[in-house]
Amino acid sequence: MLYLGGITITIDMNASKSKPKFIDRHAVIILFSVIAISASLMDVAIDAFVYGYGSFWDIFFSASPGIIFGRVYIVISFVVIGVFMDLYLRARRQYTKKLEEEILERTRSLKDSQEKLKSIFTASPDAITAIDFNGKIVECNEKACRMHGYLREELINMNILELIANEDKQRLSKYLRNSSDEVENIEYHAARKEGNEFPAEFSTSILLNASKEPMGYVTVVKDISKRKQMEQELLKSERLAAIGQLAAMVGHDMRNPLTGIANATYLLKTKGKSKMDKTELKMIGMIEKCVDYSDKIINDLLDYSRTLKLELIETNPKLLLTQALSLLPIPANVHLVDKTHRKPTLRADSAKMQRVFLNLIKNALEAMPNGGKLLVESHEQNGQLLINFSDTGVGIPEESIHELWTPLKTTKAKGTGFGLPICKRIVEAHGGRISVSSILGKGTVFTLTLPTNLST
């Protein structure tokens, strides 16, 4: 069965197998010969009855030459007619056979074309729908059903505008008003059955019937969610690259004056300490703290802009946590629960991973100003090492989670906005990833996923 422009054509593949039957050509010659001889015998029999001649040959040859010639002519004529009929039937049979072969070949070709069209229609990576001029869907492929979350029975007879987000319905409907319009690659937001939207690309062309008259549209919809995500990642990478270059320049230029300020402060403090009152000494202390904080910002800028080079050694989660805790005291009002293990081991840059541990632990402590519980645990899952840092702090607002990895974005009064982005770079340099989940008012969980077989 072939569906073309709303017309269903049914082809019986067995119909061509029934061949027409004709009288055998040899039987035709014999038939006409028998008729001719019978006619001659009938003529002779009539003469015998009328004239009463003796034997058959006497009756046959006693007739006048004209009669004898006529009888022979009749026999020859019927034989010739039989021969011509034989030639005619032979030619007709050959023509019929050739015609049958052509019909079979065209039927086979039509079936192959039908299967090819059906295969292309079904296997298309894009959603294809055929609609009439009222926007009603009359045909669709499987991809259209999966893309929008409907069954085929639900899509048929549905208006195409129901698959378009409200904000874009009016804009796209103008392309469906005039049968002469053909558009390509119009970006819009498509809608799924569940109500969520996704970026898509819309193309349409005229659907013609057998008389070359417009009967509707063929629409092709491409889901461009991945492309949009890649474009955003590219823009983000370009922006971060620019930040990295700027960071290197600023860090280099700022370090020299900071060194001068630090040296001058140290000289004033050592030589003029006995002549300074408490207020002046306090000011000197503030200058030193500001210099240290500025130096930290410069170091973060330079660390973020540098290419990471890993010095891999054999280590394990328990050892990394122990080394990190030796550099950061835990407040008395925070209960630390260590559920890390020495297995599985991993190859990692110990100093850089300690920095990741320190940053995540410090963030957790700052999220619990009134105390709480910090749980650090590790386990293996699907050949990978998972390390969780769970706190019972204030949590992170949902709208702020996607900005955690963006440089210079921070919610802390004295934050630089480079801590987590640097952690992310270090983890990804080890072939892993870092993720976060948080419930406002209940706490946050940072998860490190690292390979256990990272080679040198």
Side-chain angles (χ1 to χ4, degrees):
M1 184 175 290
L2 178 64
Y3 184 87
L4 294 173
I7 302 175
T8 303
I9 303 174
T10 303
I11 300 173
D12 186 359
M13 298 302 296
N14 297 319
S16 60
K17 296 181 180 179
S18 57
K19 298 181 179 180
K21 298 180 180 179
F22 299 102
I23 301 174
D24 187 84
R25 62 179 184 270
H26 301 297
V28 172
I29 297 175
I30 295 172
L31 175 62
F32 277 91
S33 299
V34 169
I35 291 173
I37 295 171
S38 298
S40 298
L41 291 176
M42 182 63 70
D43 185 42
V44 172
I46 292 172
D47 286 348
F49 178 77
V50 175
Y51 302 106
Y53 293 125
S55 65
F56 169 80
W57 296 108
D58 291 338
I59 298 171
F60 187 86
F61 289 105
S62 63
S64 64
I67 294 175
I68 295 174
F69 176 78
R71 291 170 179 171
V72 173
Y73 176 78
I74 291 173
V75 174
I76 294 174
S77 297
F78 274 92
V79 171
V80 171
I81 292 173
V83 171
F84 275 105
M85 286 294 295
D86 171 61
L87 294 174
Y88 167 74
L89 292 176
R90 183 184 303 177
R92 182 173 178 180
R93 174 168 291 183
Q94 291 176 350
Y95 173 77
T96 303
K97 183 178 180 181
K98 182 179 180 181
L99 190 62
E100 288 177 354
E101 292 175 351
E102 289 182 359
I103 292 174
L104 284 173
E105 180 62 29
R106 292 185 181 183
T107 303
R108 193 179 300 111
S109 177
L110 182 60
K111 185 178 180 182
D112 291 343
S113 298
Q114 177 187 359
E115 291 298 325
K116 188 181 295 184
L117 284 172
K118 182 179 179 182
S119 176
I120 294 173
F121 186 71
T122 304
S124 172
D126 301 326
I128 302 176
T129 57
I131 61 175
D132 61 20
F133 288 125
N134 295 320
K136 185 174 68 175
I137 299 174
V138 296
E139 188 57 88
C140 65
N141 65 350
E142 182 62 27
K143 182 64 176 181
C145 300
R146 294 198 306 269
M147 184 179 292
H148 294 282
Y150 288 93
L151 297 175
R152 184 178 183 278
E153 294 75 15
E154 295 175 315
L155 280 181
I156 299 300
N157 293 325
M158 179 184 291
N159 195 291
I160 190 72
L161 294 179
E162 295 183 40
L163 304 179
I164 301 173
N166 291 331
E167 60 185 279
D168 292 322
K169 282 184 180 180
Q170 185 176 2
R171 180 168 62 91
L172 262 68
S173 63
K174 70 178 183 179
Y175 296 114
L176 305 176
R177 292 173 186 164
N178 194 327
S179 61
S180 62
D181 288 340
E182 291 191 12
V183 296
E184 292 183 358
N185 305 329
I186 302 298
E187 291 189 9
Y188 74 108
H189 287 86
R192 291 192 175 95
K193 182 179 181 180
E194 297 80 6
N196 55 328
E197 301 174 358
F198 62 95
E201 209 169 57
F202 177 88
S203 299
T204 180
S205 58
I206 307 302
L207 182 64
L208 304 177
N209 60 17
S211 302
K212 306 297 182 181
E213 297 175 348
M215 59 178 294
Y217 297 95
V218 174
T219 65
V220 180
V221 175
K222 184 190 296 291
D223 187 344
I224 58 173
S225 300
K226 291 183 178 179
R227 191 181 81 189
K228 285 294 183 181
Q229 183 178 359
M230 291 175 63
E231 289 176 355
Q232 291 177 359
E233 290 294 331
L234 180 61
L235 290 173
K236 182 178 178 181
S237 298
E238 292 175 348
R239 185 171 63 251
L240 294 181
I243 292 175
Q245 293 175 356
L246 178 63
M249 294 171 58
V250 172
H252 181 269
D253 292 339
M254 288 293 293
R255 178 153 283 175
N256 291 333
L258 279 177
T259 302
I261 295 172
N263 292 336
T265 304
Y266 176 77
L267 184 62
L268 287 173
K269 187 176 180 181
T270 53
K271 292 191 174 182
K273 185 176 181 181
S274 58
K275 300 179 181 179
M276 294 182 184
D277 57 21
K278 291 182 179 180
T279 303
E280 291 171 336
L281 289 174
K282 186 177 180 181
M283 293 296 105
I284 292 293
M286 289 179 62
I287 293 174
E288 289 178 331
K289 288 181 180 179
C290 289
V291 169
D292 291 339
Y293 181 67
S294 300
D295 188 60
K296 180 182 181 303
I297 294 175
I298 291 173
N299 288 331
D300 287 343
L301 285 169
L302 294 176
D303 287 341
Y304 186 80
S305 62
R306 291 191 187 110
T307 301
L308 290 177
K309 294 182 180 179
L310 304 181
E311 297 179 4
L312 302 177
I313 61 171
E314 191 83 12
T315 186
N316 61 76
K318 176 70 75 175
L319 180 59
L320 290 173
L321 180 61
T322 302
Q323 292 171 340
L325 291 176
S326 67
L327 302 174
L328 181 67
I330 302 298
N333 61 353
V334 174
H335 176 49
L336 174 66
V337 180
D338 180 4
K339 288 190 177 182
T340 57
H341 306 283
R342 299 187 184 277
K343 296 289 183 179
T345 61
L346 73 157
R347 292 184 60 79
D349 188 312
S350 180
K352 288 183 173 58
M353 288 305 300
Q354 284 181 42
R355 182 170 183 176
V356 174
F357 276 49
L358 278 170
N359 193 283
L360 294 179
I361 293 172
K362 185 179 179 181
N363 287 346
L365 297 178
E366 291 176 351
M368 299 183 290
N370 300 320
K373 177 182 176 182
L374 173 60
L375 170 63
V376 184
E377 56 182 343
S378 67
H379 64 277
E380 186 178 8
Q381 179 177 310
N382 299 326
Q384 294 181 312
L385 175 63
L386 271 66
I387 307 174
N388 294 326
F389 296 79
S390 307
D391 65 60
T392 57
V394 296
I396 304 171
E398 185 176 355
E399 60 272 13
S400 300
I401 287 181
H402 71 280
E403 296 181 344
L404 291 177
W405 320 111
T406 304
L408 304 176
K409 291 282 187 177
T410 181
T411 57
K412 301 177 184 178
K414 293 186 178 181
T416 63
F418 278 100
L420 287 176
I422 291 175
C423 290
K424 185 173 185 290
R425 285 195 65 202
I426 292 173
V427 173
E428 290 178 348
H430 283 78
R433 64 181 183 275
I434 182 170
S435 58
V436 60
S437 61
S438 183
I439 300 177
L440 202 60
K442 292 188 177 181
T444 302
V445 180
F446 281 89
T447 301
L448 306 181
T449 304
L450 297 164
T452 58
N453 59 346
L454 187 64
S455 61
T456 57

